[in-house]
Amino acid sequence: MTTSPVARHVQSIPRSGIRDFFEVVQTMSGVISLGIGEPDFVTPWHIREAAVYSLEQGHTGYTSNLGLPRLRTEIAAYVQKHFGVAYDAQTEVLVSVGVSEAIDLALRALLDPGDEVLYHEPCYVSYSPSIALAHGVPVAVPTHAADGFALRADELAARLTPRSKVLMLNFPTNPTGATMERAELERIAALCQRHNLVVLSDEIYSELTYDGGSHTSIAALPGMRERTIFLHGFSKAFAMTGFRVGYACAPVELTEAMMRIHQYGILCASITSQEAAVEALRHGAPDVAKMHGEYEARRNYIVHAFNELGLPCHKPRGAFYVFPDIRPTGLTSQEFSLRLLKEKKVACVPGTAFGPSGEGYVRCSYATGLAKIKTAMGLVGEFVREVATR
Ligand code: PLP
């Protein structure tokens, strides 16, 4: 065959920059990784026990396509309590295979070919490819260190066209830890209403908001519930990445559309994971609080350490990432990450893995024990001093 059998829109999708980087990491031994975007905590025992008990009871079948009714009831109660948005558990909640599947369902449910999807950048690596795979057109809206990487309504407004259909938001943000001030979020909500945009609000880090601050979902602002798909899951706050369970909440018409795609493509999320998720929502709050406390202490340490080294690092108010500016070293983000890995065996992710506006920065995760973070920062210090004297 002379031409590739692979669909053109799939051929055009680049491989994840993070995956490529970690293939190099895997060939090395003794690396301290600040690169991983998942909790270093094992899922709390009572949640794992619920999964074990589910298996012991012989619960090994499919569930309803939308998910276990009692899980949907818990999700609706949780979202109402923590975000102040009411969804009907029977018709407006869909349990998915992680937020990853929910993002894909939402985009495929909404997009006709050529529709434009705006998202703030640097952003989670899957957004642009997921949009392209759903035949949409990705439109990046740059964010800036001077604004703490929050999205500015004027930057968004400047990129709206008659084909703009969806806005993807993720606060706190992967990779920058950015959060939004309510006043700016209100300006963004007003733009969405004026331009008839649907919002996908990826809330996956919302429990991990620090400095005593509270998180506001755009879905909770007046006039936004009806035009928002609220996406959330268990991977980060409950340390349940391997369970692969998340959810989408949205008005009936949108939930029904996502359900049709989910029903034929996936059928349902694993029952074992769904039963563990019920336990997480019922009794997991103390675990979330404990991990939150650990993350906040690590964040305080690592932000201070980068600034001490002369690499300016804004203090993110959420998630478990810092995004220091490495331009004082004179290296690109790719050079910095590769050389730090080869010369000091410390892994961090080049900012460009999260979009071109990530150039000049690297992402370091503090979902790693404090002792390891301290050792890693000592090595980063040696590296920065050696680069400066070469
Ligand atoms: N959204 C963001 C912003 C993420 O950072 C991640 C994972 O890193 C996901 C979604 C995927 O989450 P899940 O494990 O629920 O599929």
Side-chain angles (χ1 to χ4, degrees):
M1 201 179 287
T2 49
T3 53
S4 169
V6 176
R8 275 193 296 277
H9 74 292
V10 178
Q11 284 183 44
S12 67
I13 304 281
R15 280 164 55 97
S16 159
I18 296 193
R19 288 279 151 264
D20 284 350
F21 195 73
F22 279 92
E23 271 164 28
V24 180
V25 174
Q26 265 156 25
T27 63
M28 300 172 65
S29 62
V31 173
I32 302 181
S33 183
L34 303 180
I36 304 292
E38 70 177 319
D40 56 319
F41 300 104
V42 176
T43 308
W45 171 240
H46 65 102
I47 299 174
R48 283 183 277 152
E49 202 171 32
V52 173
Y53 186 55
S54 160
L55 289 169
E56 269 179 8
Q57 287 178 302
H59 294 174
T60 55
Y62 296 129
T63 69
S64 131
N65 294 132
L66 283 175
L68 282 174
R70 64 179 186 288
L71 175 55
R72 283 184 273 140
T73 301
E74 291 295 336
I75 290 169
Y78 183 85
V79 174
Q80 164 88 69
K81 179 174 171 199
H82 292 274
F83 299 87
V85 193
Y87 291 101
D88 177 49
Q90 303 308 313
T91 57
E92 296 184 317
V93 179
L94 181 153
V95 178
S96 58
V97 180
V99 173
S100 303
E101 192 218 347
I103 291 170
D104 184 50
L105 292 177
L107 289 168
R108 287 207 277 156
L110 291 168
L111 298 182
D112 284 310
D115 284 342
E116 293 175 5
V117 181
L118 300 113
Y119 55 94
H120 49 102
E121 198 201 82
C123 69
Y124 179 42
V125 288
S126 91
Y127 286 178
S128 173
S130 300
I131 296 162
L133 287 170
H135 302 281
V137 178
V139 179
V141 183
T143 58
H144 311 282
D147 305 316
F149 295 100
L151 174 62
R152 282 196 346 227
D154 60 339
E155 293 270 17
L156 174 62
R159 286 163 184 82
L160 292 171
T161 76
R163 288 308 303 263
S164 303
K165 178 147 190 201
V166 174
L167 171 64
M168 296 179 77
L169 296 181
N170 169 227
F171 295 105
T173 307
N174 174 9
T176 58
T179 52
M180 288 293 292
E181 295 296 337
R182 192 183 168 103
E184 197 64 7
L185 198 61
E186 283 171 350
R187 281 191 275 279
I188 287 163
L191 271 177
C192 293
Q193 293 179 34
R194 212 173 309 131
H195 294 270
N196 199 25
L197 300 184
V198 179
V199 178
L200 304 193
S201 190
D202 179 345
E203 307 279 347
I204 193 153
Y205 295 102
S206 59
E207 287 86 354
L208 303 178
T209 300
Y210 310 118
D211 301 327
S214 64
H215 168 78
T216 301
S217 169
I218 196 162
L221 298 185
M224 291 307 293
R225 180 196 182 281
E226 48 269 46
R227 59 173 64 253
T228 301
I229 301 183
F230 178 101
L231 308 169
H232 202 358
F234 298 85
S235 288
K236 311 292 173 165
F238 294 96
M240 290 175 67
T241 46
F243 281 86
R244 310 307 306 125
V245 61
Y247 51 92
C249 302
V252 179
E253 185 189 9
L254 294 175
T255 303
E256 171 63 25
M258 291 189 286
M259 200 279 281
R260 268 181 267 147
I261 304 169
H262 172 76
Q263 174 175 66
Y264 295 119
I266 300 288
L267 226 157
C268 66
S270 138
I271 186 168
T272 319
S273 300
Q274 292 193 54
E275 296 206 327
V278 170
E279 172 64 20
L281 292 181
R282 285 189 183 157
H283 303 119
D287 308 290
V288 174
K290 198 158 168 264
M291 291 186 269
H292 177 281
E294 272 282 328
Y295 289 135
E296 189 158 355
R298 296 172 187 178
R299 177 206 61 162
N300 293 344
Y301 172 81
I302 197 167
V303 168
H304 181 72
F306 271 112
N307 284 307
E308 286 276 286
L309 291 177
L311 302 183
C313 183
H314 89 283
K315 194 174 192 181
R317 297 187 61 211
F320 42 54
Y321 309 104
V322 287
F323 207 60
D325 181 347
I326 51 85
R327 286 173 296 182
T329 61
L331 303 175
T332 65
S333 63
Q334 187 80 20
E335 287 164 350
F336 183 97
S337 304
L338 272 178
R339 282 185 52 185
L340 181 64
L341 178 63
K342 289 197 176 133
E343 294 173 29
K344 299 292 169 189
K345 292 197 170 183
V346 174
C348 61
V349 184
T352 44
F354 308 96
S357 53
E359 182 54 274
Y361 296 84
V362 295
R363 186 191 79 174
C364 296
S365 156
Y366 48 90
T368 298
L370 193 54
K372 274 195 189 161
I373 294 175
K374 286 185 174 170
T375 309
M377 289 310 298
L379 293 163
V380 174
E382 282 177 19
F383 175 71
V384 170
R385 285 186 289 275
E386 285 166 19
V387 169
T389 52
R390 244 176 248 168

